[in-house]
Amino acid sequence: MTHNEIDQLVKSFIIDAAQAEANPRIQQIVLRLVSDLFKAIEDLDLSATEVWKGLEFLQEAGGRMELGLIAPGLGLDRFLDIRFDEAEAKLGITGGTPRTIEGPLYVSGAPVEQGFARLDDGSEIEQGQVLFMQGTVFGANGQPLPNSSVEVWHANLLGNYSYFDKSQSDFNLRRTIMTDDNGRYQFQSIMPKGYGCPPNGSTATLLGLLGRHGQRPAHIHFFISAEGHRKLTTQINIDGDEYLWDDFAFASREGLVPAVQQITDAAALAAHGLQKPYASIDFDFHLNAEVAEAPTTEVDRQRPQA
Ligand code: FE
């Protein structure tokens, strides 16, 4: 069939077949996606078996809750970020801390602390290295923003996230820190390790068929929110990770790889009650002012509430 014939056919299925009032936006989107799918089937001469295997793959991936991993693996999350960046640039919104993808592992309801929080429950303090990370949240006018919210979450040494990994304590490695009067935040945690997609899962299967790996470099996730400012969704990467610029989710960006200092000074260790050297990361967040015409950065997606 020609593309024109496919367009007519799909219109008859999606538009002409409607017998009650349709949601016009959904109708428009489904019309487009089904047309594009049928054209791909035609152009690539997909066999019926290939079509059904594809649907079965999606069904299985959904059942395993892996669509949120397949999406970043295929660059969808990065693509949405590029579109945000473009829309903002057109409106002259530039210069803030770069955004990067949220990923599927945020959980709302983490404990809220003022100025400082310890994220880890102490269970990995022997195997891991203590990390202190600190900085200032700055607003659009370059002034520090007191009482802004720094939501932080990261994986444990096995690459697993609390809530999804039921062996961890509630909200382990997850907190919301409200900045102090000087716009400062600080947390203590365990230096995270990189991780990979579940080895026998749908994402790993697909990436394997594409000749790709499913590894992420070590990273820490953030939502930064302050009144009158655009919410920032971002991550920092841990410098030196072998996958630093080879992330299966395409989330590494210039400006999000702060230096990691090794603190060995006896007085500094004693001040924190530590016997072993710890890592320290300084990182400031710079927010942009909210602009009514800009696409909202408050993305509505399913997030577990614990
Ligand atoms: Fe992550």
Side-chain angles (χ1 to χ4, degrees):
M1 292 172 77
T2 66
H3 283 194
N4 210 1
E5 287 166 340
I6 289 173
D7 282 338
Q8 292 310 311
L9 184 68
V10 175
K11 182 174 165 288
S12 78
F13 292 157
I14 305 296
I15 308 283
D16 303 345
Q19 291 173 14
E21 196 180 337
N23 177 313
R25 180 64 169 164
I26 298 297
Q27 200 179 43
Q28 175 190 38
I29 294 167
V30 171
L31 178 71
R32 174 61 186 266
L33 292 180
V34 173
S35 301
D36 286 354
L37 173 65
F38 286 11
K39 287 170 195 169
I41 292 171
E42 176 72 23
D43 294 351
L44 302 176
D45 194 23
L46 264 62
S47 71
T49 296
E50 286 175 320
V51 170
W52 287 114
K53 287 297 153 201
L55 281 174
E56 286 162 16
F57 173 81
L58 290 175
Q59 176 116 314
E60 190 176 288
R64 295 174 188 226
M65 306 296 287
E66 282 202 43
L67 292 180
L69 276 180
I70 290 174
L74 297 181
L76 179 69
D77 303 36
R78 176 69 189 132
F79 177 67
L80 295 178
D81 277 353
I82 292 169
R83 294 193 73 244
F84 265 124
D85 289 351
E86 280 187 359
E88 290 182 349
K90 272 188 202 153
L91 293 166
I93 305 171
T94 55
T97 299
R99 61 164 48 82
T100 197
I101 73 170
E102 173 181 334
L105 301 170
Y106 171 83
V107 175
S108 69
V112 180
E113 318 232 16
Q114 302 297 321
F116 172 85
R118 180 165 172 185
L119 311 189
D120 68 298
D121 63 7
S123 58
E124 293 186 309
I125 202 157
E126 290 304 322
Q127 311 96 288
Q129 184 177 35
V130 169
L131 165 68
F132 282 86
M133 178 166 166
Q134 54 277 319
T136 302
V137 178
F138 289 100
N141 56 8
Q143 296 299 308
L145 292 174
N147 204 36
S148 49
S149 144
V150 175
E151 294 177 79
V152 51
W153 70 103
H154 69 79
N156 70 1
L157 293 175
L158 299 174
N160 297 323
Y161 284 80
S162 64
Y163 180 89
F164 302 94
D165 169 15
K166 298 298 183 196
S167 75
Q168 294 184 46
S169 62
D170 290 348
F171 293 112
N172 188 37
L173 311 175
R174 300 177 185 276
R175 287 297 183 277
T176 296
I177 305 163
M178 304 307 294
T179 56
D180 69 13
D181 292 346
N182 299 312
R184 302 276 304 168
Y185 76 91
Q186 185 183 43
F187 62 81
Q188 175 182 342
S189 196
I190 300 292
M191 183 65 98
K193 287 257 169 62
Y195 58 84
C197 296
N200 300 313
S202 305
T203 314
T205 299
L206 177 60
L207 292 173
L209 290 167
L210 295 173
R212 293 180 46 202
H213 67 72
Q215 296 299 125
R216 295 216 63 201
H219 59 276
I220 302 176
H221 295 266
F222 297 94
F223 286 154
I224 314 291
S225 314
E227 220 182 308
H229 289 80
R230 290 173 68 68
K231 177 178 173 178
L232 173 67
T233 299
T234 196
Q235 307 176 25
I236 60 133
N237 283 341
I238 306 304
D239 200 6
D241 192 293
E242 67 171 306
Y243 292 100
L244 183 58
W245 298 107
D246 186 21
D247 178 8
F248 98 95
F250 308 106
S252 303
R253 296 191 70 177
E254 296 285 350
L256 298 176
V257 190
V260 181
Q261 281 181 278
Q262 293 296 326
I263 308 295
T264 54
D265 176 62
L269 296 183
H272 291 299
L274 298 173
Q275 276 79 50
K276 292 189 294 186
Y278 65 90
S280 179
I281 294 176
D282 292 311
F283 193 79
D284 297 335
F285 295 98
H286 295 265
L287 302 187
N288 288 310
E290 189 52 282
V291 172
E293 312 86 70
T296 180
T297 49
E298 295 284 356
V299 179
D300 184 7
R301 60 185 280 187
Q302 227 172 57
R303 301 179 180 97
Q305 165 102 42

